[in-house]
Amino acid sequence: MQSTKEGRTTESPASKVGRRKGRNSTKLPPPSASVSALTDQPISDLISEFEDLNFNNNPRSFPYSVKQQCWDKAETIKGRDPHRWRRDPLGNTVFRKLVGCPGCLCHDFDHILPYSKGGKSTLDNCQVLQATVNRSKGNRTDISRSDLIRRSSYCRVSGRDMDLLELSAYGNVRRGEDSGGCRIQ
């Protein structure tokens, strides 16, 4: 404690810190203690309360499992690994690893009926769509297929280009079952 010119006493900053630590410290139960020990409520009651909470059953983004199934229902590209390459409904080639970027091989998982207009995040309402097309489509439902094709980022991608992309993204190149040609055994 120090006294000031006006006759008041003040505490040093170090003594304030020590006092705060002592006053604010709370004793926590050991990590092995169950949740019910903290609330005096059985765990089964806590679980049922949690399940009763009203969560949004229609998330804006698609769940992972729906994205997987949506990718699987998109058109495959002959001679290419279907886990890596697909075509969107407009015929644009898209690469699995490129999601949400603005390039011509990038894709989004699009709500066919926009979420803002009541569209659900279900497989029936999901399509793989080139990202630039999806962004230009927005939440419009009255846009024609030919308008969407015009908005596509066209790029000519050779088989060699696809091989290089696969090699850089996955470390190898895999062909699809229907690729034809020779197989080394």
Side-chain angles (χ1 to χ4, degrees), residues 90-159:
L90 305 173
N92 298 309
T93 300
V94 293
F95 187 49
R96 181 66 175 260
K97 287 274 188 167
L98 299 176
V99 182
C101 53
C104 63
L105 296 173
C106 301
H107 70 283
D108 284 332
F109 293 96
D110 173 52
H111 288 87
I112 298 167
L113 176 64
Y115 181 83
S116 63
K117 295 189 176 178
K120 305 286 184 201
S121 296
T122 61
L123 180 60
D124 295 336
N125 195 38
C126 182
Q127 66 181 349
V128 172
L129 195 60
Q130 186 185 63
T132 52
V133 176
N134 187 32
R135 309 279 165 71
S136 66
K137 175 186 166 209
N139 71 345
R140 293 187 296 268
T141 55
D142 59 344
I143 193 163
S144 70
R145 179 178 165 81
S146 60
D147 282 343
L148 290 176
I149 290 172
R150 267 186 260 132
R151 295 167 188 237
S152 295
S153 291
Y154 176 75
C155 62
R156 188 180 193 99
V157 184
S158 70

Side-chain angles (χ1 to χ4, degrees), residues 10-147:
T10 60
E11 285 184 299
S12 69
S15 65
K16 286 182 183 178
V17 171
R19 190 170 48 86
R20 261 188 256 133
K21 281 184 182 176
R23 182 181 61 195
N24 291 337
S25 66
T26 57
K27 187 163 179 131
L28 296 175
S32 62
S34 69
V35 173
S36 60
L38 295 174
T39 63
D40 296 328
Q41 198 173 6
I43 290 179
S44 59
D45 290 349
L46 291 172
I47 292 171
S48 64
E49 282 180 28
F50 179 76
E51 290 171 346
D52 290 342
L53 292 175
N54 187 14
F55 289 108
N56 184 0
N57 291 333
N58 186 27
R60 184 175 183 89
S61 61
F62 293 100
Y64 180 77
S65 62
V66 172
K67 288 180 181 180
Q68 294 294 108
Q69 294 169 358
C70 187
W71 180 265
D72 291 341
K73 79 175 187 177
E75 180 187 346
T76 59
I77 298 175
K78 184 175 176 157
R80 287 288 156 185
D81 183 353
H83 298 290
R84 297 177 179 185
W85 297 96
R86 294 288 175 144
R87 284 198 201 284
D88 74 2
L90 305 173
N92 298 309
T93 300
V94 293
F95 187 49
R96 181 66 175 260
K97 287 274 188 167
L98 299 176
V99 182
C101 53
C104 63
L105 296 173
C106 301
H107 70 283
D108 284 332
F109 293 96
D110 173 52
H111 288 87
I112 298 167
L113 176 64
Y115 181 83
S116 63
K117 295 189 176 178
K120 305 286 184 201
S121 296
T122 61
L123 180 60
D124 295 336
N125 195 38
C126 182
Q127 66 181 349
V128 172
L129 195 60
Q130 186 185 63
T132 52
V133 176
N134 187 32
R135 309 279 165 71
S136 66
K137 175 186 166 209
N139 71 345
R140 293 187 296 268
T141 55
D142 59 344
I143 193 163
S144 70
R145 179 178 165 81
S146 60
D147 282 343

